Amino acid sequence: TNNHVVTGAATLEVYVGGDTDTSYNAQVIGVSECNDLALIKVDTPDDQPYFDWYEGDVRAGLDVYAAGFPLGDPQFTLTKGIVAKAKAGGDLTGTSSIDHTIEHDAAIQPGNSGGPLLSSDGAVVGINYAGGARDIGAQYYAISAGLAQGVVDRLAEGDYESLGVNGFAIADDASGITGIWVAGVAAGTPASEADLQPGDIITSMNGLPMGTDGTFKDYCDVIRTAGSKPIAIQVLRYDTQEILEGEVNGDQPLEATVSFGGDMATENSVQEGAAYTDYVSVTDDSGTLTLEVPAEWSDVATSSIDNDGVTYRRIEASTDREQFHAAFDVPGVTFLAVPAAGASPEDLLYGFGVNGCTDGDITDYDDGAFVGKYQIYTKCNGTDAVYLVLVSHLVDNTDTYYVTSMQAVTTADLDVLDHILKTFNAAS
């Protein structure tokens, strides 16, 4: 059957041969969310008849039949169709990342997931797992027998390419949220031990944003690359609007992180602004500084600047850089690499301070990669603008300080501030 059918379920009951009066308990032997497959063992007193794997070539035009019990209906259904594509894309559904899938037109409905796609002589051509009628016409998808057999053999030994998550990729343009929405978590798995919960959205893994293309691909690429090693994850706990960070397969529990944007929005009356939905990565001319900014901040500078004979590597971005420097009505960011030269973070905070604003306390900063100090400025020249100056250095290198200065004039800009602090980076 499919991972998305069984993972996180409290109980599993199986009915055999159309007998709706007798059910049998089933045990999950192994799951793979990256292949959206699961192997279950049904506790029946006797051996049961079964379909064998299809051994022939799967080609367009092959007659196929989708068998199952859709929509919770106890009445068996069988629909007929043909294979439209023997090897359609493998990242179509948002619940798996496989090499390819079988596209066919034997109608399936919710509840048909995990059921067989059969040849005319009753061999399993594939495992149905998705309907595409809502999106791209009356086409449906099955995981081919050729891909499934090897995975099922591995599942007999336990989980494979899995963290214990039942979820699917989401990409919501209205909110700008992308990630892997967690529908269920299997007890005793790495996901459970990391305290992932149903309703969570995994937004990044090992620093890579999740679900930006609406598929499982990036999620599974990280799992397949990391193997059993710890994976750093960032999670949006939607119910509490918390951003959590920690590790799967590691020692760092999920913990709430500071949200500069959220905290500042609570404490300051900045005006509402439409959320930014598209971000672009910017790198300075030396190739050592990077960060992500909204696509609308297209006035960008990446060349180094000279300050009294000292070269500062630089990234600067705004909707209007000239106005960003001249007033407090345009958002923007400046990211500089400054030689330490004996200066302290407090020295640089003073040097990069903002006139005409109410300055807040100097506060420690530590995101695991960079440590330092930051200061927040408000009520700049009588406006509601918020200005942040952060001076930090890489944990293992104090030769260079990185000065991040950002101005926010709307609530959307405050969200950008959080995004920048999650994506700014520098080569030591």
Side-chain angles (χ1 to χ4, degrees), residues 63-70 76-82 104-109 112 116-120 128 140:
D63 287 336
V64 288
Y65 300 80
F69 297 83
F76 173 77
T77 66
L78 190 69
T79 57
K80 182 180 180 180
I82 62 170
H104 64 88
D105 62 1
I108 64 173
Q109 301 296 332
N112 276 130
L117 183 70
L118 301 169
S119 65
S120 56
N128 287 313
Y140 309 92

Side-chain angles (χ1 to χ4, degrees), residues 85-221:
K85 290 182 182 178
K87 291 187 176 181
D91 297 297
L92 294 168
T93 69
T95 62
S96 68
S97 180
I98 56 180
D99 181 64
H100 63 270
T101 189
I102 295 173
E103 182 179 326
H104 64 88
D105 62 1
I108 64 173
Q109 301 296 332
N112 276 130
S113 289
L117 183 70
L118 301 169
S119 65
S120 56
D121 58 354
V124 179
V125 176
I127 299 168
N128 287 313
Y129 76 135
R134 292 187 184 93
D135 301 320
I136 53 175
Q139 295 297 313
Y140 309 92
Y141 301 96
I143 302 166
S144 71
L147 290 178
Q149 288 181 68
V151 176
V152 170
D153 290 343
R154 294 287 297 269
L155 295 182
E157 302 171 3
D159 293 352
Y160 169 59
E161 292 183 350
S162 176
L163 299 179
V165 169
N166 178 350
F168 56 87
I170 60 169
D172 184 66
D173 292 337
S175 65
I177 296 173
T178 64
I180 305 300
W181 186 79
V182 180
V185 176
T189 61
S192 175
E193 292 172 1
D195 195 31
L196 274 170
Q197 299 178 12
D200 286 349
I201 299 173
I202 303 171
T203 55
S204 75
M205 297 172 65
N206 280 348
L208 182 66
M210 293 290 106
T212 55
D213 59 355
T215 78
F216 245 45
K217 183 179 185 303
D218 290 332
Y219 174 82
C220 291
D221 283 349

